[in-house]
Amino acid sequence: MKKTLALALALTMALGLAACGGGDKPQPPASSNPGSSSANPAPGGSTAPAANKDKPLVWFNRQPSNSSTGELDMDALSFNGDTYYVGFDANQGAELQGQMILDYITANIDSIDRNGDGVIGYVLAIGDIGHNDSIARTRGVRKALDTAVEDGGAIKSDAVGINADGSATAVKDGKLTIGGKEYTVRELASQEMKNSAGATWDAATAGNTIGTWVSTFGDQIDIVASNNDGMGMAMFNAWSKDNKVPTFGYDANSDAVAAIADGYGGTISQHADVQAYLTLRVLRNALDGVDIDTGIGTADDAGNVLSPDVFKYVDAERSYYALNVAVTADNYNDFLDATVTYAPVSNQLSTDSHPTKSVWLNIYNSADNFLSATYQPLLQNYDDILNLNVEYIGGDGQTEANITNRLVNLDQYDAFAINMVKTDNSASYTAILNQ
C-alpha cells in the first residue's frame, strides 16, 4: 500500500513539473495566483466564490508609497497574487519635460528674456508636494534649468514661495551657456496648488496664483512651468496667452494640445491610452486565469499587443509603466484627441473566451482634468473592448472616506481598480477588502 502511494505521488510530481516547463520570457511571469477570482471556474466545473481579499486588484495613477520618502509600499503592491500597479515612468517623463523647456529656451534665446535683464525667470506650479509624480516633475524642471539643489543625493522639490532675489535655499540661480553666452536662470516663485478645501493639483488656484505672481514680478516672468496641464492651462488662459509667455504642462490633455497652436509651449504625453488599457488588461488577464503578459507583451487571441517602446514592466515593483512622449509645435497634430484608444490594442475580445465581468473602479477626484477628461473616457472605451462592466466612482480629491464609503457590496464585483487620494493610504482600501 505504501509503495503504491509513493508511486502515485511521484507520478503526480512529474506531471506537475512537466506542466511548469517552458522557456523564460523578458516580460512579466504568469500571475502567481491564476484562477483565484470567482470568474475562473474550471471548465465544466464550479468553484466557490472568491474572497474579496483574493480578487484581482490594480492600483493606478497613484503608486502605493510613502509620501515623504517615496519608498514603495510593497505590502500594498503584493496584496495578493493578482495585484499590480499601473502608471507611467515618472522620472523619464520629468526629464522630458525639463528638456522640452530647455530646448525651447535654446531655440528662442534671442527673444526669451522679455525685459532684457539677463535673467531668464520662470514660475512653477506644483501639484502636490507629497505626490511622487509631482516631485519628479519639479526635480526634472530644476535639473534641466540648472536651478536644482541637492540634499542627501536627491534634488529638493520643496516649494520656494517668492524668490525675487534668488536667495531661496530649495533652489539656486542656474547658469546656461547658449551660443557662447552665459545666462542666469531663476525660479522666481513656486507654490503647491491646493485650494481651501484641501484638494491639490487645483487649476482654479493656479489661475488665481499667476495673477499674484504677475503683480509681484511683471515682465520678469519669461517661462511658466506646471506639473500638469490642468494648472498650466488655467495660468495660460488667465495671463500667459495674452502676454505671449510660453507655458509648459504635463498630460497632453486635448485642450492643452490644441492650445499649442495659440502659443502654449508644450506638454508631455504619458501615454494615457496605454495606461488605461493596462489598468483594465491586467484585471482581464487575472480574471481569465491566463499569463499576465497576454495582450500586453504577447499577442492575445484578438491580436492585441504592445510594443516595448510604449511600456515597461518592473517585476520587483509589480508595476507597469507607460513611457512618455514630448508634445510640441512640431508634432502636436498627432495628439489632438487624447481619448482615442491605442490602435494596436483596440481589437474586440470575444465574449465566448472572455465573458463579461464586473469591476469596481474609482477616480480620486472627479474634477481632476486629466483623470476625468482623458483617463476615464479611455477606460470607458476599453471596458467594452475587454468585456468588463465597470462601475466608476468619482471622489472629491480631499478624503479617502469619500471613496471608501462607497466601496460596498463587494461580492457583486470580480475585481477592483483603485486610485487613491494620497499615495500612503492603501490600508484604507485593503482593510475593507480583508473584511
Side-chain angles (χ1 to χ4, degrees):
M1 181 68 179
K2 290 183 178 179
K3 183 175 181 180
T4 301
L5 179 59
L7 287 172
L9 289 173
L11 179 59
T12 301
M13 291 177 65
L15 289 173
L17 289 172
C20 292
D24 293 334
K25 295 194 302 182
Q27 298 300 329
S31 167
S32 58
N33 193 19
S36 65
S37 169
S38 58
N40 295 295
S46 62
T47 65
N52 294 314
K53 66 181 179 62
D54 296 324
K55 293 177 180 178
L57 167 64
V58 169
W59 308 97
F60 70 96
N61 184 254
R62 279 162 164 69
Q63 192 170 29
S65 57
N66 185 303
S67 60
S68 298
T69 66
E71 181 182 2
L72 297 186
D73 179 356
M74 292 309 301
D75 288 338
L77 290 166
S78 56
F79 176 65
N80 63 33
D82 289 325
T83 298
Y84 296 90
Y85 169 73
V86 171
F88 67 101
D89 191 329
N91 292 326
Q92 180 244 357
E95 291 176 1
L96 269 181
Q97 187 187 33
Q99 187 62 46
M100 175 176 62
I101 297 172
L102 178 58
D103 288 346
Y104 186 96
I105 292 173
T106 301
N108 296 276
I109 193 61
D110 292 337
S111 59
I112 198 72
D113 183 7
R114 296 200 305 143
N115 66 355
D117 64 354
V119 177
I120 300 171
Y122 72 92
V123 293
L124 174 64
I126 296 175
D128 179 344
I129 58 174
H131 191 297
N132 284 0
D133 297 342
S134 186
I135 290 169
R137 294 170 198 178
T138 296
R139 288 172 172 169
V141 169
R142 289 174 177 174
K143 179 180 179 181
L145 301 184
D146 193 40
T147 57
V149 172
E150 290 194 4
D151 181 18
I155 294 173
K156 289 185 176 183
S157 57
D158 314 62
V160 302
I162 299 297
N163 183 37
D165 59 359
S167 62
T169 57
V171 293
K172 65 179 178 65
D173 279 358
K175 301 295 180 183
L176 296 179
T177 301
I178 303 172
K181 182 178 178 180
E182 185 174 84
Y183 299 85
T184 296
V185 183
R186 179 174 296 165
E187 185 172 306
L188 297 169
S190 55
Q191 176 182 316
E192 179 186 41
M193 298 304 167
K194 179 188 291 187
N195 66 22
S196 58
T200 53
W201 303 86
D202 190 64
T205 300
N208 292 330
T209 300
I210 190 65
T212 301
W213 286 343
V214 170
S215 296
T216 302
F217 298 109
D219 59 7
Q220 291 178 263
I221 301 175
D222 303 310
I223 295 282
V224 176
S226 174
N227 282 172
N228 77 355
D229 281 333
M231 299 181 299
M233 282 298 293
M235 296 186 292
F236 182 71
N237 289 326
W239 177 75
S240 52
K241 178 181 178 179
D242 290 342
N243 289 275
K244 302 187 184 306
V245 174
T247 301
F248 298 87
Y250 202 112
D251 289 335
N253 290 340
S254 294
D255 61 338
V257 174
I260 292 176
D262 298 321
Y264 197 70
T267 181
I268 299 294
S269 167
Q270 53 175 279
H271 258 309
D273 48 1
V274 173
Q275 286 186 68
Y277 173 74
L278 287 169
T279 298
L280 296 182
R281 183 75 217 206
V282 294
L283 294 178
R284 178 76 262 178
N285 289 345
L287 291 167
D288 288 345
V290 299
D291 190 306
I292 200 66
D293 192 44
T294 303
I296 300 176
T298 305
D300 64 14
D301 50 11
N304 295 302
V305 66
L306 295 172
S307 55
D309 61 334
V310 297
F311 86 102
K312 70 178 184 179
Y313 176 76
V314 180
D315 185 47
E317 300 173 358
R318 295 187 65 81
S319 297
Y320 284 90
Y321 301 103
L323 302 182
N324 304 266
V325 181
V327 182
T328 66
D330 294 330
N331 65 348
Y332 77 94
N333 282 308
D334 297 332
F335 295 85
L336 286 172
D337 188 349
T339 65
V340 175
T341 61
Y342 190 54
V345 289
S346 296
N347 301 318
Q348 180 68 49
L349 296 188
S350 165
T351 53
D352 292 335
S353 304
H354 312 276
T356 301
K357 299 298 175 184
S358 296
V359 175
W360 186 97
L361 181 151
N362 83 281
I363 299 295
Y364 94 100
N365 185 359
S366 59
D368 182 280
N369 187 268
F370 168 65
L371 290 170
S372 63
T374 299
Y375 210 102
Q376 183 168 329
L378 282 165
L379 289 168
Q380 291 170 322
N381 288 333
Y382 283 121
D383 63 20
D384 289 333
I385 292 171
L386 298 174
N387 303 327
L388 295 174
N389 182 14
V390 181
E391 180 172 354
Y392 295 92
I393 304 295
D396 62 5
Q398 300 165 32
T399 63
E400 304 293 348
N402 183 264
I403 301 165
T404 55
N405 286 344
R406 288 178 283 171
L407 186 53
V408 295
N409 301 319
L410 304 188
D411 291 344
Q412 71 186 51
Y413 303 105
D414 299 299
F416 305 96
I418 294 174
N419 173 220
M420 296 177 287
V421 175
K422 293 294 183 181
T423 61
D424 38 18
N425 284 343
S426 61
S428 299
Y429 299 87
T430 56
I432 297 173
L433 297 179
N434 269 320
Q435 291 176 359

